[in-house]
Amino acid sequence: APPPLPPPPPLPHRVASKPRGPNIGGGAAAAVASSPIRRAGAFDNAIPEYASYVDKAKRRGTPPKDLGVLKRTINEQSIDADPVTFSGLRGCDGKPNCFSTTGDSLLEDRILTGVDTLISPWRPPADDPAPFKTLASAVKEYKPGQSFIDGGGFAVVKETDSYLYVQFEALKKGYIDDVEFAMAGGREQGIQVRSSSRVGQTDFGVNAIRLNAIAASLRAKGWAIDEITPKTHQDYFYAADDARDQTFDKDRRKGTEMENGRMDRPAIG
C-alpha cells in the first residue's frame, strides 16, 4: 500500500480567547451597545434556502467587548517600530478569520501572533462629496448568498455619519461575522475597515470574499482599495483552502477551485 499522505504544514498556533460579552464602550462603540438585540430568526434579507435551516442549532457566538471606535495602540511589543496610539477599530487576534486596518506596522511583528491580517484603509475619490454615505450604500446593496456566503443575510446594527456596524450570518449554522467601517480621521486618512468571524479558527475565506465584493462596487466609483488575494495574504488563503479540503461540508467548496478537485499534498518518498 502507498504511504499515507503527510499532514499539511502547521499554521501559527494561537490559543482561542474565552467568549466575551457585547459590552462596547466609548463614542460610536457606546451607541452600538445601546442598540436593540436582533430577533432570533433570520435577517430579513436571508436567501430563501435559509428556511431549510431556520430550526437548526445556531452558533452565533459573542461579539468582542471592544467593538467600535476606541483608543488603540499598535507596535507595543515591537523592537524596531515605535508605539502609536490613535482612535480606531479593533485589530485581529492572529487567527485566519479576520481582516482589519488596525495592526502592527511591521510584518515580522504581526506574524508573531498568527497570520498577517492587516489591510490598507479604503480611500474614496476626491470628487465624492459624501464618501461615507457612498460606502454605506454599497454595503446595503450587498447581495446575501453571493459566492455562496452570507446566506443568512445581514443587518445594520448601528449607523452614524462616520461609523457603520453590520452583522452578517452564515446560511446553515448561523455563524455571525462582525463588520465595521469608520472614518475616524480626515478623508485623507481613508476609511478604517474590520471584518471578523466570532467563532472558529478559519473562516473558509468568507471575510476576504465579502470585503472584496463590497470593495469591487466601490472601485467602480473611483475608490482606491487593495484586493485581498493569495499574494497579499498567503497564509490566510492557505488556511482557508486547507479547511475547505478537509471539511465534510461540500458546500464549503462551492465556487472555489476545490469544488471539483482537492488540494495537492506532497507524498513521502
Side-chain angles (χ1 to χ4, degrees), residues 6-87:
L11 292 169
H13 174 70
R14 180 169 177 83
V15 178
S17 59
K18 295 181 179 180
R20 294 177 287 182
N23 179 29
I24 305 171
V32 176
S34 64
S35 299
I37 298 174
R38 58 156 296 194
R39 60 189 176 87
F43 290 126
D44 292 338
N45 51 12
I47 64 176
E49 289 83 352
Y50 189 89
S52 299
Y53 305 99
V54 69
D55 295 327
K56 304 294 184 181
K58 305 298 181 184
R59 295 188 61 198
R60 294 188 170 94
T62 304
K65 292 181 179 179
D66 57 345
L67 293 181
V69 179
L70 298 171
K71 184 172 73 172
R72 315 285 180 180
T73 301
I74 61 174
N75 306 331
E76 290 184 280
Q77 305 300 320
S78 179
I79 296 175
D80 298 314
D82 295 329
V84 178
T85 300
F86 60 96
S87 293

